[in-house]
Amino acid sequence: MQDSYHRTIRYLRLSVTELCNYRCQYCMTEDGVPKRAHGDMLSIEELAEIGAAAVRCGVTKIRLTGGEPLVRRGILTLIERLRALDGLRELTMTTNGSLLENVAIDLKKAGVDRLNVSLDTLSPSRFRELSRRGELADVLRGLEAANAAGFPHTKLNTVLLGGVNDGEIADFVALTKDNDYSVRFIELMPMGVCASFPKERFLSADAVLAAVPELTPLGNDGVAELYRMPGYRGTVGLIRPMSRCFCADCDRIRITADGMLKPCLHAAAELPLRGLHGVDLENAIRKGASIKPARHHLSSGSSDTARSMNEIGG
Ligand code: SAM
Ligand code: SF4
């Protein structure tokens, strides 16, 4: 499946819910998302059908995201259905890790290949403040459970927040010493609630290289610049949507939990997929991929989408 700029689209981010048990300050308001009728959201059956159609269109990698995918009822059934698809090479999930401890083994058995676990601070009190309701210890136990379940190369997503967690960069890098983790520092994107954050919160990933100058470059891995500390097991990735636009290499489309295809995270364009089946569904997915814009316009201030990250699926 190609877009009009000759990019081959292989990667689907499938949001399985808008809901979340956390209220991260940069992602949601304290009140969370307005509750919508159950029927407004894609069922597990619809999610599986859309995933299958995307794979027939040439998608080889699906990431399950949200909201928090582990609060979605029926998630294991969805994983099993997607895993059974011929042509799907990789099935991954992004999770806040809070509920991972009790389901890591089930996720592995059902067919998740790899996990991204979001972790923005290693300080228990800062964690409580940032997530507004989470406990760091839950996530750390979740990570241990993921290791014990045999998940390889778990990625830790750390959003850089100037004046909040930039003093912890070296501590995050230290996590890669004995663990096969890839700690990925992500630049904060101005969308949803964080679009009005003060300027100092938006930190360039250069701050990571300044804090730990011993990091040695390993080249690129998808949209991440990869580094390693000499002698360490794991790696460090920098994801720079703000300081270095990687749109030219973008191979993703996204589908929201209410069934809209988003050709680009930051564009307003959306195509409805609900109610479509078979060839009609495939054609709509191909059409969505074909209208992917050349690039985002974050440098002009904020995202063009009215949706927040938990609605689109990060
Ligand atoms: N709830 C899951 C989690 O937190 O991992 C999955 C959904 S969350 C929206 C996916 C990722 O998006 C998280 O790693 C989160 O930190 C990141 N994210 C949310 N808002 C962001 C923003 N404005 N800029 C950059 N990353 C953001
Ligand atoms: Fe929930 Fe993830 Fe958003 Fe935090 S970043 S509120 S965990 S969806």
Side-chain angles (χ1 to χ4, degrees):
M1 191 162 47
Q2 285 228 321
D3 72 7
S4 55
Y5 299 93
H6 308 294
R7 291 172 296 199
T8 302
I9 309 304
R10 301 190 184 89
Y11 182 2
L12 168 64
R13 291 206 172 183
L14 187 56
S15 174
V16 298
T17 179
E18 296 181 350
L19 303 178
C20 185
N21 53 344
Y22 283 4
R23 299 281 184 273
C24 297
Q25 290 193 13
Y26 54 81
C27 180
M28 284 198 200
T29 65
E30 183 126 39
D31 301 335
V33 284
K35 206 143 177 106
R36 293 169 64 182
H38 190 60
D40 288 348
M41 297 298 161
L42 294 174
S43 64
I44 292 295
E45 183 59 38
E46 287 173 306
L47 286 160
E49 186 180 5
I50 288 174
V55 169
R56 290 198 299 278
C57 290
V59 161
T60 57
K61 173 174 174 179
I62 297 180
R63 172 174 300 284
L64 301 172
T65 180
E68 174 48 44
L70 294 183
V71 304
R72 174 70 208 239
R73 221 175 281 154
I75 188 74
L76 292 174
T77 307
L78 176 63
I79 293 164
E80 282 163 4
R81 295 274 302 271
L82 295 175
R83 185 68 279 174
L85 295 172
D86 271 344
L88 185 70
R89 291 211 198 110
E90 200 176 23
L91 182 59
T92 62
M93 176 183 283
T94 301
T95 168
N96 63 25
S98 59
L99 303 171
L100 197 50
E101 183 183 12
N102 293 328
V103 289
I105 288 179
D106 297 333
L107 293 176
K108 188 86 180 92
K109 277 192 195 145
V112 173
D113 295 308
R114 272 189 314 103
L115 292 171
N116 281 33
V117 177
S118 300
L119 185 55
D120 299 323
T121 175
L122 299 169
S123 146
S125 58
R126 192 170 290 147
F127 190 94
R128 244 171 256 134
E129 201 181 320
L130 258 180
S131 64
R132 291 199 182 102
R133 48 184 64 187
E135 288 296 330
L136 174 65
D138 294 341
V139 182
L140 297 180
R141 284 198 310 275
L143 277 169
E144 270 173 35
N147 287 341
F151 280 104
H153 315 301
T154 297
K155 293 177 181 169
L156 304 189
N157 283 7
T158 304
V159 175
L160 284 166
L161 297 159
V164 178
N165 65 1
D166 43 339
E168 298 188 51
I169 290 172
D171 298 338
F172 273 106
V173 172
L175 291 179
T176 65
K177 184 166 188 218
D178 300 318
N179 298 298
D180 180 25
Y181 294 144
S182 184
V183 173
R184 292 150 74 95
F185 292 100
I186 303 171
E187 291 174 347
L188 180 68
M189 296 178 275
M191 52 194 303
V193 284
C194 73
S196 57
F197 274 15
K199 257 203 189 123
E200 61 267 25
R201 290 286 173 276
F202 295 86
L203 208 61
S204 159
D206 289 339
V208 174
L209 302 177
V212 190
E214 302 86 352
L215 284 170
T216 51
L218 300 175
N220 286 1
D221 172 29
V223 299
E225 284 168 26
L226 269 199
Y227 296 82
R228 192 192 297 276
M229 279 292 273
Y232 282 21
R233 269 186 80 195
T235 58
V236 172
L238 305 186
I239 302 185
R240 302 170 171 270
M242 305 298 290
S243 61
R244 260 178 228 166
C245 172
F246 44 72
C247 300
D249 298 321
C250 183
D251 62 354
R252 310 170 178 180
I253 51 171
R254 295 166 192 265
I255 292 169
T256 63
D258 57 358
M260 304 298 281
L261 187 152
K262 281 190 76 69
C264 165
L265 171 61
H266 295 294
E270 298 187 347
L271 262 84
L273 298 182
R274 283 197 101 177
L276 300 176
H277 305 281
V279 175
D280 292 339
L281 181 56
E282 287 171 35
N283 286 343
I285 293 172
R286 284 201 185 87
K287 167 104 194 294
S290 76
I291 60 167
K292 230 175 128 57
R295 53 162 300 160
H296 64 62
H297 303 107
L298 286 177
S299 53
S300 65
S302 72
S303 182
D304 294 331
T305 181
R307 291 192 189 241
S308 57
M309 199 65 148
N310 68 291
E311 288 178 278
I312 303 171

